């Protein structure tokens, strides 16, 4: 398949996208990888790999990409396809949307787990459509006021009062432009700040899994809150670190309560996969 991308290619450019178990390049796993290789001669090679991540797919990830545990049961693992994927990417530059921040990094981490240590995304040219978009179409208050209200913020830009007034005008402009938006504050909150019933705190650092509150980030991911509180050494040290750490108040309070033997009750029923 040919492509009309108006770029001079010195070597193949792979535009790719990844669906994964989460947003941590190091901790999460690839579920689906789609790669379009644009060759200097104008030809194009497309490949898609659906992979078994070997870990349960979180419900919030399923809500994004729709791929369930049942769909990947019989699929190969990344380790089984690593050499094939590496060969397809070998000698290519990289392209995508937010590709440098996430996709290239999680792909590199998967290769590292398989003993492939020379993928080196930092040594390849990267064409990131998101960076071009954000650079050429700013998404700051000045740009929003120009788009929704047709006026410039002017010399008072970024004074607190001017910014607050401009934000109010932008909100009014958004409501006028999009008649399908709810006209109720709580409904708007639910639409744009949806809460996950399996999150114990707002940001999901604590999460309900099979009726237990577990850690949902970092090296302790998957550890039960009750087990951490019962461990007088490493577990309680971790909870004390969270209490003193740069976390939101609701996240810190769960850790502080656990140290006092107080735990959240009645998590939601686990979803049926």
């Amino acid at each position: 398949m040919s492509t009309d991308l108006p770029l001079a290619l010195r070597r193949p450019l792979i535009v790719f996208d990844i669906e994964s178990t989460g947003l941590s390049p190091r901790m999460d796993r690839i579920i689906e990888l789609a790669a379009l290789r644009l060759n200097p001669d104008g030809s194009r090679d497309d490949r898609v790999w659906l992979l078994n991540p070997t870990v349960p797919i979180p419900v919030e990830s399923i809500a994004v990409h729709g791929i369930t545990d049942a769909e990947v049961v019989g699929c190969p693992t990344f380790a089984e396809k690593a050499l094939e994927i590496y060969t397809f990417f070998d000698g290519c530059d990289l392209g995508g949307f937010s590709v440098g921040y996430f996709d290239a990094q999680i792909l590199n981490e998967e290769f590292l787990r398989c003993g492939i240590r020379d993928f080196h995304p930092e040594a390849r040219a990267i064409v990131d459509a998101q960076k071009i978009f954000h650079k050429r179409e700013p998404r700051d208050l000045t740009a929003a006021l120009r788009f929704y209200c047709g006026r410039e913020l002017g010399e008072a830009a970024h004074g607190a009062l001017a910014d607050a007034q401009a934000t109010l005008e932008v909100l009014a402009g958004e409501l006028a432009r999009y008649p399908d938006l709810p006209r109720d504050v709580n409904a708007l909150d639910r639409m744009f700040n949806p809460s996950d019933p399996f999150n114990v705190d707002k940001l999901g650092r604590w999460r309900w899994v099979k009726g237990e509150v577990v850690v949902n980030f970092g090296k302790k991911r998957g550890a039960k809150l009750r087990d951490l509180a019962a461990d007088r050494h490493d577990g309680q040290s971790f909870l004390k670190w969270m209490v003193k750490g740069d976390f939101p108040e609701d996240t810190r309070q769960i850790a502080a309560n656990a140290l006092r033997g107080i735990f959240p009750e009645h998590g939601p029923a686990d979803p049926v996969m």
Side-chain angles (χ1 to χ4, degrees), residues 18-226:
I18 284 170
E19 305 295 350
S20 63
T21 59
L23 298 177
S24 169
R26 187 168 186 180
M27 301 299 296
D28 285 301
R29 300 291 185 268
I30 294 174
I31 302 171
E32 185 178 35
L33 166 60
L36 317 178
R37 187 172 67 193
L38 313 179
N39 301 307
D41 64 4
S43 63
R44 180 175 131 180
D45 300 309
D46 297 359
R47 294 294 302 273
V48 179
W49 291 270
L50 186 63
L51 305 166
N52 186 332
T54 72
V55 297
I57 304 174
V59 64
E60 65 267 25
S61 298
I62 295 173
V64 173
H65 50 61
I67 304 172
T68 66
D69 292 319
E71 293 178 71
V72 297
V73 167
C75 294
T77 65
F78 186 92
E80 291 170 331
K81 290 292 183 178
L83 185 58
E84 178 182 317
I85 295 170
Y86 177 81
T87 301
F88 189 78
F89 275 76
D90 190 31
C92 299
D93 293 321
L94 307 176
F97 197 86
S98 190
V99 64
Y101 172 74
F102 180 74
D103 300 78
Q105 299 306 318
I106 192 172
L107 183 57
N108 188 49
E109 291 292 339
E110 290 277 28
F111 281 134
L112 290 174
R113 279 189 285 271
C114 298
I116 298 175
R117 303 189 177 278
D118 58 349
F119 179 63
H120 298 313
E122 71 282 354
R124 303 168 187 249
I126 293 180
V127 179
D128 194 323
Q130 185 191 59
K131 289 187 176 181
I132 296 172
F133 177 46
H134 288 174
K135 188 72 172 179
R136 292 304 176 95
E137 302 293 339
R139 288 299 186 263
D140 56 14
L141 179 59
T142 301
L145 189 66
R146 183 183 305 120
F147 182 80
Y148 289 107
C149 306
R151 78 171 182 87
E152 298 295 329
L153 193 50
E155 295 181 1
H158 306 306
L161 180 58
D163 282 1
Q165 175 61 35
T167 301
L168 181 60
E169 292 179 41
V170 167
L171 180 56
E174 290 170 335
L175 291 168
R177 189 178 186 90
Y178 309 119
D180 60 313
L181 286 176
R183 263 50 182 175
D184 174 83
V185 169
N186 290 336
L188 275 172
D189 177 57
R190 288 192 297 270
M191 178 177 286
F192 291 98
N193 304 294
S195 61
D196 187 328
F198 290 90
N199 287 346
V200 186
D201 58 333
K202 183 70 173 179
L203 293 183
R205 297 292 187 265
W206 299 105
R207 187 165 176 80
W208 289 105
V209 176
K210 296 181 179 179
E212 292 280 355
V213 179
V214 304
V215 180
N216 194 36
F217 72 97
K219 295 181 178 179
K220 293 289 187 183
R221 187 174 186 177
K224 296 178 181 178
L225 178 61
R226 290 182 182 274

